[in-house]
């Protein structure tokens, strides 16, 4: 076999292994949060953050000041953009928009394209739970000696703003930790 053919064969083998390795490479962390508190203005579909919401956005920036975050994602709504704006300035990161109606596809893209990276996603009360489910999050329920795992319908009420879901992967399985941004 000529040296060129050996080089070509070696390259093909290397690329094959690289693609297999990348297929199993997941993000280091996926942080999911609902947007901070918004103003309640009659007829306004895209309100700004309230003073409470602006304070929460500042707390989120402070929480992540020394935590690795490589990418920020938000819907096009002002409330999700403004929730991440202070952190965007602290980390000097651009906020990338995503379509909240494409939650499952968006999560597939995050899992596929952000190998060993940490991303923070600001969503809504109806999209964050769907994204957690798309990640395969399950909860274990114990009743006496009986234990079962299930994927419940996670519900965030219109009054809940403080949850920060931290998703990491262990043996390709998603695990979640729930933190608070209530300060």
């Amino acid at each position: 076999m000529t040296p060129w053919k050996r080089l070509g064969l070696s390259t093909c083998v290397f690329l094959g292994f690289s693609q297999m390795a990348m297929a199993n490479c997941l993000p280091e962390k996926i942080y999911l949060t609902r947007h901070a508190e918004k103003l309640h203005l009659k007829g306004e579909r895209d309100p700004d953050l309230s003073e409470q919401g602006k304070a929460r956005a500042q707390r989120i920036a402070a929480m992540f000041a020394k935590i690795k975050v490589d990418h920020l994602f938000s819907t096009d709504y002002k409330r999700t953009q403004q929730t991440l704006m202070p952190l965007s300035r602290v980390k000097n990161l651009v906020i990338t928009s995503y379509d909240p109606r494409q939650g499952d596809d968006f999560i597939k893209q995050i899992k596929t394209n952000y190998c060993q990276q940490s991303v923070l996603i600001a969503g809504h009360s109806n999209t964050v739970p769907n994204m957690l489910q798309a990640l395969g999050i399950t909860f274990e329920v114990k009743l006496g000696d009986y234990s079962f795992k299930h994927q419940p319908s996670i519900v965030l009420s219109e009054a809940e703003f403080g949850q920060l879901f931290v998703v990491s992967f262990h043996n390709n399985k998603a695990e979640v930790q729930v933190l608070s941004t209530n300060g």
Side-chain angles (χ1 to χ4, degrees), residues 13-145:
V13 170
F14 173 75
L15 289 174
F17 283 124
S18 296
Q19 287 178 340
M20 285 184 349
M22 289 300 284
N24 291 325
C25 188
L26 295 164
E28 184 177 328
K29 299 261 190 219
I30 300 173
Y31 300 95
L32 290 156
T33 190
R34 181 183 179 204
H35 61 78
E37 293 87 335
K38 62 186 178 183
L39 290 172
H40 292 282
L41 304 171
K42 188 172 180 147
E44 177 63 60
R45 292 186 42 89
D46 192 14
D48 289 306
L49 292 182
S50 66
E51 290 305 314
Q52 260 187 309
K54 291 175 185 175
R56 183 176 307 281
Q58 291 295 333
R59 282 195 302 275
I60 291 170
M63 286 175 69
F64 282 95
K66 294 185 180 180
I67 294 175
K68 178 185 173 197
V69 178
D70 301 299
H71 301 279
L72 301 174
F73 293 94
S74 165
T75 64
D76 283 330
Y77 288 94
K78 289 190 283 188
R79 58 192 174 270
T80 53
Q81 296 274 329
Q82 291 171 3
T83 297
L84 297 182
M85 196 64 68
L87 181 58
S88 171
R89 285 191 288 270
V90 167
K91 295 283 191 180
N92 195 29
L93 293 173
V94 172
I95 301 170
T96 303
S97 293
Y98 71 92
D99 183 347
R101 295 167 297 189
Q102 303 297 322
D104 286 357
D105 289 337
F106 173 61
I107 290 299
K108 285 178 190 169
Q109 290 175 13
I110 294 293
K111 287 175 68 176
T112 303
N113 298 331
Y114 295 91
C115 173
Q116 291 302 305
Q117 297 179 56
S118 293
V119 302
L120 175 58
I121 303 168
H124 303 270
S125 61
N126 61 337
T127 62
V128 170
N130 294 341
M131 287 188 272
L132 287 168
Q133 289 181 335
L135 286 164
I137 296 300
T138 58
F139 294 88
E140 186 171 356
V141 176
K142 292 184 179 186
L143 300 169
D145 292 335

Side-chain angles (χ1 to χ4, degrees), residues 2 4 29 43 50 66 125 136 157 165 167:
T2 69
W4 288 110
K29 299 261 190 219
S50 66
K66 294 185 180 180
S125 61
S157 79
F165 300 92
V167 179

